[in-house]
């Protein structure tokens, strides 16, 4: 893990926890890709990703559902890889997803929203990994 990667994960967690894209806007690559394992097509480019996230955040702000919570975590089975675990308590139960980043030139170049790796395999917090 490096400090840049850790700081970018922290910015993304803050963006989701506060439903505010301003926390990640300066750290997004112009050609960022946002992809979800639940959706067939990826979003490409900063404009398209920001438009999607701003709409998603607006929907969540206006929703009666509980808010999304994003926590820093790591995946022991993937060599202690950093990730976010996002959770939301819905009527049908707790929904959790794993969020993985790719970093290029100190910017977020890719965001993947995943059911695999399984969020239950992650360890919340950073106590188990060193900051190299």
């Amino acid at each position: 893990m490096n400090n840049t990667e850790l700081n970018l994960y922290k910015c993304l967690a803050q963006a989701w926890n506060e439903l505010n894209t301003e926390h990640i806007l300066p750290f997004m690559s112009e050609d960022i890709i946002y992809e979800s394992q639940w959706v067939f097509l990826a979003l490409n480019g900063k404009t398209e990703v920001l438009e999607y996230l701003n709409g998603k955040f607006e929907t969540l702000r206006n929703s009666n559902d509980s808010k999304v919570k994003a926590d820093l975590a790591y995946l022991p089975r993937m060599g202690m890889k950093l990730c976010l675990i996002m959770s939301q308590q819905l009527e049908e139960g707790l929904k959790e997803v794993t969020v993985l980043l790719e970093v290029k030139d100190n910017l977020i170049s890719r965001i993947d929203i995943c059911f695999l790796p399984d969020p239950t395999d992650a360890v919340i917090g950073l106590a188990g990994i060193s900051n190299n």
Side-chain angles (χ1 to χ4, degrees), residues 9-132:
Y9 270 103
K10 286 178 178 180
C11 290
L12 184 60
Q14 187 175 12
W16 276 98
N17 287 329
E18 296 179 16
L19 303 176
N20 184 345
T21 58
E22 292 299 316
H23 297 294
I24 58 169
L25 179 62
F27 307 109
M28 295 171 68
S29 161
E30 289 298 323
D31 58 351
I32 188 171
I33 297 168
Y34 183 98
E35 192 161 16
S36 169
Q37 291 178 342
W38 286 271
V39 180
F40 291 113
L41 297 174
L43 301 174
N44 294 288
K46 191 173 189 176
T47 301
E48 192 172 0
V49 172
L50 279 172
E51 185 177 294
Y52 170 78
L53 287 175
N54 283 323
K56 180 79 166 174
F57 291 172
E58 182 67 24
T59 298
L60 287 167
R61 276 192 293 275
N62 296 326
S63 170
N64 289 332
D65 289 331
S66 67
K67 298 297 181 208
V68 171
K69 180 180 177 206
D71 291 301
L72 286 166
Y74 63 95
L75 295 157
R77 292 184 186 178
M78 291 183 69
M80 310 305 261
K81 179 162 180 50
L82 277 175
C83 66
L84 291 183
I85 299 301
M86 291 198 313
S87 57
Q88 185 178 25
Q89 185 64 50
L90 301 172
E91 229 175 76
E92 59 271 13
L94 183 67
K95 180 178 181 179
E96 291 183 308
V97 300
T98 303
V99 180
L100 300 173
L101 295 182
E102 287 184 19
V103 177
K104 183 178 172 188
D105 299 326
N106 295 321
L107 296 172
I108 299 170
S109 61
R110 184 177 180 94
I111 300 171
D112 286 292
I113 310 298
C114 311
F115 52 83
L116 292 175
D118 192 319
T120 61
D121 290 340
V123 176
I124 302 293
L126 302 179
I129 58 177
S130 64
N131 191 12
N132 296 326

